[in-house]
Amino acid sequence: MSFDWLVIRSQAISFRIDRRVPIILLCLAVAIAVAMVMNVGRGEYPISPLDIVKTILGLDTGNPDHQFVIQSLRLPRTLVAFMVGMALAISGTIFQGLTRNPLADPGIIGINAGASLAAVTVIILFPSAPIYTLPLSAFAGALLMAILIYSLAWNNGSSPILLILMGVGLSAIASAITSLMITFGEINDVSNALVWLAGSVYGRTWEQVFSLLPWLIVFVPMALTLTRHLNALNLGDDVAKSLGSQVEWQRGLLVLVGVALAGAGVATAGNIGFIGLIAPHLGRQLVGGTHEGLIPTSALLGGVIVVMADLLGRTLFAPIEFPCGVVTAAIGAPYFLYLLIRNRKK
Amino acid sequence: MIKATTLSPRELKKPPITAFFGLILGLCMLLICLVYSVTLGAAEIPLGKILTSFLAFDGSYDHLVIQTVRLPRSLIAILVGSSLAVSGALMQGLTRNPLADPGILGIESGAALFVVVATFIFGSSSLNVYALAAFLGAGVIAVLVYILGSLGRGGATPLNLTVAGAALTALISSFTTGILIVSQQTLEQVRFWLAGSLSGRDFNLFLQLLPFVGIGLVVAFALGRQITTMSLGEDVAKGLGQQTAWIKIFTAISVVLLAGSSVALAGPIGFIGLVVPHIVRFYIKADYRWILPYCAVLGAILLLIADIAARVLLKPQELPVGVMTAIVGAPFFVYLAKSKVKK
């Protein structure tokens, strides 16, 4: 077995990862670079890959427009797509590990619905509110929803199945109130709210990049350090307890990280569904189920998928632009079907 | 995972006389709600005018309001309420899923997608077009969710069906949203319909869908005994010599007819189908021959009351009734999930 694992030991840390992980992470990094260059290059004003690389490195391409199109329009948008994908994918991996349900996803268990309700309320009731209030309110909505779900699912300890069912029930309330807003709001505000609800990185700028970045800087390392507990919890509460885990405390912490990442992602780009479902599954196929390797892998996968979804949504039916959330849903639902069937065969 | 519904012989032989009286009582309450619903609104109409509008129609404003607005609307509320409740009871009985409901299982979002697509393509805002599209959408998605849900490990368990419904709803509503973003005109036309509402429905629509609901209800009531057996589990039902495949097919037909017509009439109205059967089962434990008619009556009463509240609460504004039922019904879902679904 020693051949299949890389064991990393130092005085402070010690962990082992699947041998495939470094190679796959490298491949994914290349894929991300390619996807990003493609996304920056395609559009109403095409730019060649070489010019993109030059512009990003600060070299002169002989065309002053490149600087503007890339630096202020397309690059921040692409970066936002990538970061949001990462956040949602990590969040999904955590929730799947916690609930031991391969079909869990922050969207399906209702956290997105809470974030959406809060943001739509702000868009429709306070249309003149400054942009930066949107992520904050969405995050507050996600957090409130998570607290409600978690406390309602408390049944002499938190129950994974109840977490999912409570999510479904509470998101029904949230979406009823959301549809109330949509029914009575001013029509242009409602249109804006819908773009946001569908999940889109349209018009995102450096402002969003820098407001999302701190969340990732804090919570991604936290997710990585909690992976060992996630592995234990994934075996079931009884096993985890007998391995010496303080189950409730660790689960609470992991839920917090999952919610923070999902909330920050939804806050920045709206309701991009199914990333938290797809990325961990693809990741598991590539590197197996140990979370040390799985979390970085699925994070990168999530990033690639959202960048590609944005590219498809922009170019497929140009000049009509579809929000990338619609694209990810169109890919995610058939994948979900496939997962259900495969689960049965096990 | 689910507490089995236990059915003792004593309960089966429960003297039908009390159950019968309960039903009569329910019908009386329904009548009172109906009268109340007809008198209430932007213009309050005295009780006496209701009678005279039938006995001596004189074309006066009040009489016209009663005949063309209030009465159709109230009758549609009754039809929708009872079909939702009965279809919910059928789903819960057949799948032994305490959380089944046309809304939870994604049927209503399917209807919404088809309505939005139809409006987008044909630009029509006629309620008849909505009805047809909603009916088709409900049918297609109902079948899809059931197939998806039963593909999972353990077959059509509550969890599998609920998750399949939630996932499909997520997919479908993102398509719906996509279309609404591209066409603001469509959004303007359908947004009130999308929240679930009974306003502006006329007698024609009522008469068009009456046969579907009628057939659906007759099939459902005829299946009462078989559903009772099926609710003990498919193996038990087979052991007792039931043709389970046929029962499933007929139940599915009835569910699609009922849920389809109710979405067609009123748009997506959630939670009536979930809540009513549970309330009824507090009183009548396990005998679906009685549960189903009780659901029909109680569902009608509840939706009438919800509609009255939706009209009266923010007068002169009117709330979509679907929002009312969700705000009242969803906490009930949470309670059910907690008490009926064990780890």
Side-chain angles (χ1 to χ4, degrees):
Chain A
M1 283 298 281
S2 61
F3 202 71
D4 294 337
W5 299 94
L6 281 181
V7 181
I8 295 164
R9 281 189 213 285
S10 75
Q11 276 171 330
I13 51 165
S14 141
F15 63 97
R16 57 169 208 172
I17 49 177
D18 196 291
R19 239 183 113 73
R20 291 168 290 181
V21 171
I23 299 162
I24 282 173
L25 287 184
L26 197 69
C27 293
L28 281 173
V30 173
I32 286 162
V34 172
M36 283 183 145
V37 168
M38 274 170 74
N39 199 16
V40 173
R42 288 291 299 276
E44 232 176 292
Y45 184 94
I47 303 173
S48 77
L50 188 66
D51 287 348
I52 294 168
V53 176
K54 271 187 183 168
T55 311
I56 292 174
L57 293 177
L59 301 173
D60 187 24
T61 56
N63 185 339
D65 287 347
H66 285 171
Q67 181 76 17
F68 171 73
V69 172
I70 293 175
Q71 297 283 15
S72 15
L73 300 180
R74 296 206 190 138
L75 187 60
R77 175 183 182 148
T78 307
L79 282 176
V80 165
F82 173 66
M83 287 157 69
V84 165
M86 264 177 59
L88 291 174
I90 296 179
S91 173
T93 316
I94 291 178
F95 283 118
Q96 288 182 8
L98 277 183
T99 57
R100 275 182 288 146
N101 187 310
L103 306 176
D105 163 288
I108 289 170
I109 70 173
I111 288 169
N112 290 5
S116 302
L117 172 60
V120 170
T121 308
V122 169
I123 294 175
I124 286 173
L125 293 186
F126 312 101
S128 55
I131 294 257
Y132 67 82
T133 54
L134 213 57
L136 286 177
S137 57
F139 176 69
L143 189 66
L144 196 66
M145 194 65 156
I147 293 173
L148 268 173
I149 294 172
Y150 198 69
S151 53
L152 283 171
W154 192 269
N155 187 5
N156 296 323
S158 48
S159 143
I161 289 177
L162 279 180
L163 274 177
I164 293 178
L165 291 176
M166 292 302 147
V168 173
L170 290 179
S171 49
I173 304 184
S175 42
I177 305 175
T178 309
S179 75
L180 186 66
M181 300 282 169
I182 287 173
T183 313
F184 290 114
E186 205 275 314
I187 190 83
N188 284 317
D189 296 335
V190 171
S191 254
N192 285 339
L194 282 177
V195 171
W196 195 87
L197 265 183
S200 166
V201 288
Y202 175 79
R204 300 302 191 270
T205 61
W206 290 106
E207 196 188 340
Q208 275 90 16
V209 173
F210 289 119
S211 66
L212 180 56
L213 199 58
W215 295 90
L216 294 185
I217 292 177
V218 174
F219 289 104
V220 172
M222 253 179 101
L224 289 173
T225 48
L226 286 168
T227 46
R228 209 151 41 102
H229 305 314
L230 196 53
N231 286 336
L233 286 170
N234 196 224
L235 297 172
D237 281 11
D238 297 338
V239 179
K241 270 181 199 150
S242 64
L243 286 174
S245 288
Q246 292 166 298
V247 173
E248 297 302 343
W249 173 240
Q250 287 161 3
R251 181 152 45 211
L253 211 56
L254 279 161
V255 167
L256 179 77
V257 174
V259 169
L261 287 172
V266 178
T268 314
N271 216 339
I272 301 180
F274 291 100
I275 294 299
L277 178 83
I278 305 173
H281 277 282
L282 291 181
R284 241 170 264 139
Q285 309 242 304
L286 291 175
V287 300
T290 324
H291 287 92
E292 280 90 345
L294 180 58
I295 286 196
T297 309
S298 65
L300 294 188
L301 277 169
V304 177
I305 296 171
V306 178
V307 172
M308 291 307 289
D310 183 40
L311 180 65
L312 282 177
R314 275 191 316 128
T315 52
L316 222 49
F317 298 99
I320 293 177
E321 186 169 303
F322 270 98
C324 58
V326 174
V327 179
T328 59
I331 305 167
Y335 191 71
F336 180 82
L337 166 68
Y338 158 76
L339 287 178
L340 267 170
I341 298 171
R342 205 194 50 170
N343 254 354
R344 179 169 70 155
K345 285 189 184 142
K346 263 188 201 162
Chain B
M1 207 164 101
I2 295 198
K3 273 196 239 168
T5 344
T6 46
L7 184 73
S8 71
R10 201 157 50 99
E11 273 165 346
L12 252 188
K13 282 192 208 138
K14 181 182 205 139
I17 278 295
T18 45
F20 190 70
F21 273 125
L23 211 54
I24 299 289
L25 195 70
L27 284 170
C28 293
M29 275 177 65
L30 180 58
L31 195 65
I32 294 170
C33 289
L34 174 63
V35 171
Y36 193 57
S37 162
V38 173
T39 59
L40 270 180
E44 299 208 2
I45 298 173
L47 266 177
K49 292 252 174 140
I50 298 178
L51 269 184
T52 56
S53 90
F54 290 102
L55 299 177
F57 184 72
D58 58 8
S60 70
Y61 177 73
D62 282 355
H63 284 185
L64 272 176
V65 168
I66 291 176
Q67 297 254 335
T68 58
V69 182
R70 300 274 175 80
L71 194 64
R73 179 179 184 147
S74 308
L75 288 178
I76 285 177
I78 291 177
L79 208 62
V80 170
S82 43
S83 12
L84 282 174
V86 171
S87 68
L90 287 177
M91 287 176 171
Q92 289 171 15
L94 188 74
T95 61
R96 308 177 79 206
N97 177 353
L99 303 178
D101 163 277
I104 301 283
L105 296 189
I107 292 178
E108 311 208 315
S109 60
L113 175 66
F114 276 53
V115 165
V116 168
V117 169
T119 314
F120 180 62
I121 295 177
F122 304 114
S124 160
S125 57
S126 123
L127 283 170
N128 290 324
V129 176
Y130 285 3
L132 184 67
F135 207 97
L136 282 176
V140 170
I141 301 302
V143 174
L144 217 57
V145 168
Y146 190 79
I147 294 175
L148 270 176
S150 41
L151 285 176
R153 204 182 328 178
T157 64
L159 190 67
N160 280 342
L161 283 175
T162 314
V163 173
L168 218 58
T169 301
L171 167 73
I172 287 167
S173 31
S174 91
F175 287 152
T176 309
T177 318
I179 296 172
L180 292 179
I181 288 169
V182 173
S183 161
Q184 201 178 67
Q185 200 191 349
T186 312
L187 169 64
E188 186 83 271
Q189 279 174 11
V190 300
R191 63 175 173 162
F192 202 73
W193 187 92
L194 280 180
S197 164
L198 292 164
S199 91
R201 272 56 172 173
D202 62 12
F203 254 128
N204 272 334
L205 199 61
F206 174 77
L207 292 176
Q208 276 170 18
L209 286 156
L210 191 60
F212 293 105
V213 174
I215 297 170
L217 286 178
V218 168
V219 173
F221 293 156
L223 284 168
R225 178 189 284 276
Q226 282 79 4
I227 299 282
T228 311
T229 324
M230 285 293 273
S231 70
L232 299 173
E234 202 174 337
D235 296 340
V236 178
K238 272 191 187 141
L240 290 173
Q242 299 265 5
Q243 301 279 330
T244 53
W246 283 107
I247 299 172
K248 279 182 177 171
I249 290 170
F250 277 112
T251 312
I253 292 173
S254 172
V255 163
V256 169
L257 283 176
L258 291 171
S261 345
S262 66
V263 202
L265 279 163
I269 292 182
F271 292 103
I272 291 282
L274 175 83
V275 172
V276 173
H278 284 281
I279 300 178
V280 166
R281 276 191 297 252
F282 281 133
Y283 180 57
I284 298 171
K285 287 290 183 282
D287 189 347
Y288 276 83
R289 282 172 305 175
W290 289 101
I291 289 176
L292 294 172
Y294 264 81
C295 282
V297 175
L298 193 65
I301 294 176
L302 275 186
L303 195 60
L304 263 178
I305 294 176
D307 185 47
I308 292 171
R311 277 186 285 159
V312 174
L313 275 181
L314 288 185
K315 228 155 80 172
Q317 271 278 29
E318 184 179 304
L319 286 170
V321 68
V323 173
M324 297 289 306
T325 58
I327 290 171
V328 179
F332 197 82
F333 175 90
V334 167
Y335 158 76
L336 280 178
K338 242 182 129 72
S339 59
K340 299 262 169 170
V341 180
K342 294 288 167 212
K343 276 200 261 189

